Each structure stands twice: as structure tokens, then as C-alpha cells.
Amino acid sequence: MSYMVAVSVIIVNYNGEAYLQQALDSLRAQTFRDFEVLLVDNASTDGSVDNLKTEGVPGYRFFPQSRNLGFAAGNNVAAKQSGALWLALFNPDAVANPDWLERVMAGTERHPVASMFACAQYALDDPSIMDGAGDCYLGFGIPWRGGFGLPAAPLAEGECFSPCGASAVFRRTVFEAHGGFDERFFCYCEDVDLGYRMRLAGERCVFLPDAVIRHAGSGISGRASTFAIFHGTRNRIWTYAKNTPALLLVLTLPGHIAITLAILLRGLKTGQAGPTWRGIVAGLAGFGGLRKDRRFGPPVRQVSLGELVYAMAWNPKRLLDRRPVIRPLRPPRGTDRQAARPVAAGK
């Protein structure tokens, strides 16, 4: 199969006027040139796309929307317009090192059977602070961005649970085979949900420490905003309940409930209990609809519970400390997965 370009870099923008131009400028400076930039604007009202300087940005294409579709559906819109081998997601509040895509493509060549990659993220204004080393997943149903807010330290290439959506890289055919992001999530945890679904189908995520971006980290939506807390809480419950195999769900549910209550109680001290509680209620109320509508998985599980458990974290202290969880790379299981497999519903 021939491809139009090697990589489609997808940016989903919503009122990112303070950041978007520098994101595009960093893509213009990439040493790897076989890529295109697909910009989706979710009906911004701040003029962020009105006077962009896009000259020299490879393959720039613009897809304005009449309403705010959210991060999940916005990325899906762009992915459907791509004929590339790889999709590289890139937040509008991020800046890429000039060799970011070059390092990504070198990683895909080192790991030809991998279909998702996570990049090293550092704080936009202070590169001595980590923004993330892939997403981690506590087996009791709580995700976190590995290393967020910690001092930068050398990290080895290895396996993490899933890529952070700010700089996630997916093989396009596999992304499409899984239906892309679950659009009901709108934003937050949609990247963990997709990573979980791909893992159930036998895919792994490779962390590339030398593929570097700098990221403001919810610079647009606000990390501790009511909006972020509500959607993060609701979607965390949906990710856990939707994807976790029945036996593992039974074993981990008491821990999930205990941690969720602890988060709610902490919210009483921080003033965040209201949106946390509303997120819990919405997560429970909406779960029945998720189970009936299987457009976004989960797929039939093709990995053992042992392999799934290996990919997760089990020490809650890791979550509390926000430590990265990067495991040694193992030999690939089964056959080469470069061609997308059909994805069926059910477990």
C-alpha cells in the first residue's frame, strides 16, 4: 500500500490563540519533512486561526468546524482526511523539538510491530520539569500522566501503558480499526481509553525518550477547572468500567471505589467536591449507554490477563508520587501487526 505522506500531524484547536502560532512554527522547523499538518478548529471565538502564518508548514490543511466537537471527535475528523502511515497528535499548546518527528520515525523503524508510541513531554516554560512520560494506569482504574510535575531525569526507552494525547503517535490503520477516539468522552481520558482498547487487542505502547515536545499542560482548558475535573472524573469511570475484563473488574472494584471516595473527600478540602461528585454521577448514569453502543469497543480480548496486568501499575504510591511506569521492552508476541485487524465488540 502506498501512502500520501509518512505522517499526518493533527492539531485540534479551541481558543488557543496564546499558543497555536508557536506550535505551527515548531512544526515548520522539523528536520523530518515527509509529513502534513491537519488543523481542526472547534469553532474558536478568540480569533486564534484568523491570522495564522502557515507558509512553509508542510502539507498544511485547515478544517474549520461549526461547533466545538471536543478533542476526541476533532481528532477523528482529521484522521478520516489522512492517507498517511502514521498519525501524530500534537496539542496547540505544545512546541516540538526540531528533531521530534525524526526521532519518532526512527522509533517506528526500531519497533516495526508497534502501533502506538509515547513521546517525552517537558513543561513549556521550564524544560527542567517533566510534563509526562506516557500515561500510566493503576490497576484499580486510575490513570495518570507519568512524571507530571517532577524534576526531569534520564528515562530509558521502554513500554508504558498508553501515549498521552498531547503527542501520541498511532499507526493510522490500527487507529481506524478501533474507531478512533470515543467521541462520547469529548475530552480527557479518551487517550487512555483508546490505549486500553488497543492493549486488549494485543498492541503495545513504546515510550521514546528522545522524541521531545514541550507542553503547557491544559494551558487552554485549565488543569483544575470545573470543566476538567468533571470530564476527567466521568471519563475515568467510563474507561475503567467499559474496558476492564470481568474477572479483573471484580477483583479491583473495591479498590476503585475506595480510591474514588478518597478523591471525593480530598475535593471537600480543595473545593473540587462539586464537579467531582457530578462526574461520578454522570459516569454511573451514562455507563449503560456505553455498553449498548459498541462503536468504540472494547474489542474481543486477545491478550492474557497476565499480560494486561503486567502493563498496569499496582502500587498506589506510584500514583500519589506521579512516578512514570516504564517497563523493559519484551520480544513482540505473535505475528507482525502492521496490517490492521478487524475489531469486534465484546470481551
Side-chain angles (χ1 to χ4, degrees), residues 135 137 143 181-182 185 187-195 231-239 243:
D135 284 338
Y137 196 81
F181 290 123
D182 190 330
F185 280 48
C187 63
Y188 293 103
C189 286
E190 71 292 304
D191 47 1
V192 181
D193 171 72
L194 177 58
H231 284 85
T233 301
R234 183 195 67 179
N235 296 350
R236 181 176 69 238
I237 292 172
W238 283 355
T239 298
N243 297 307

Side-chain angles (χ1 to χ4, degrees), residues 218-231:
S218 298
I220 296 173
S221 61
R223 180 168 173 260
S225 66
T226 297
F227 176 90
I229 293 168
F230 169 80
H231 284 85

Side-chain angles (χ1 to χ4, degrees), residues 23-207:
L24 289 174
D25 291 344
S26 74
L27 295 176
R28 182 188 290 112
Q30 290 297 298
T31 55
F32 180 84
R33 305 302 292 176
D34 188 16
F35 73 98
E36 64 180 356
V37 175
L38 310 182
L39 174 61
V40 175
D41 184 70
N42 275 333
S44 294
T45 58
D46 66 344
S48 55
V49 298
D50 293 344
N51 297 296
L52 288 175
K53 298 176 182 178
T54 61
E55 297 84 0
V57 177
Y60 176 79
R61 289 192 278 163
F62 179 51
F63 302 95
Q65 305 300 308
S66 60
R67 61 187 177 88
N68 186 358
L69 302 179
F71 182 83
N75 275 287
N76 288 351
V77 165
K80 291 173 182 176
Q81 301 299 319
S82 171
L85 179 60
W86 295 96
L87 303 175
L89 279 52
F90 191 60
N91 271 20
D93 58 352
V95 171
N97 277 13
D99 63 351
W100 172 54
L101 286 177
E102 181 180 342
R103 300 292 187 176
V104 166
M105 295 309 294
T108 66
E109 291 176 3
R110 288 195 302 276
H111 308 284
V113 301
S115 291
M116 54 179 164
F117 293 85
C119 300
Q121 300 175 190
Y122 298 89
L124 180 63
D125 297 325
D126 186 356
S128 69
I129 301 298
M130 286 293 301
D131 179 77
D135 284 338
C136 313
Y137 196 81
L138 190 69
F140 299 101
I142 310 294
W144 77 96
R145 198 186 307 163
F148 178 81
L150 300 181
L155 295 169
E157 188 166 286
E159 182 179 347
C160 62
F161 186 79
S162 62
C164 170
S167 60
V169 179
F170 298 100
R171 190 181 297 276
R172 181 181 58 82
T173 52
V174 179
F175 182 92
E176 291 177 346
H178 286 270
F181 290 123
D182 190 330
E183 297 178 2
R184 297 163 295 191
F185 280 48
F186 195 77
C187 63
Y188 293 103
C189 286
E190 71 292 304
D191 47 1
V192 181
D193 171 72
L194 177 58
Y196 203 150
R197 288 187 275 136
M198 289 177 68
R199 280 200 163 275
L200 289 169
E203 308 295 342
R204 293 176 181 173
C205 182
V206 176
F207 170 66

Side-chain angles (χ1 to χ4, degrees), residues 1-21:
M1 179 182 296
S2 60
Y3 297 93
M4 295 169 55
V5 290
V7 186
S8 290
V9 178
I10 298 175
I11 302 176
V12 176
N13 178 66
Y14 177 68
N15 290 342
E17 192 272 337
Y19 302 98
L20 182 57
Q21 185 62 62

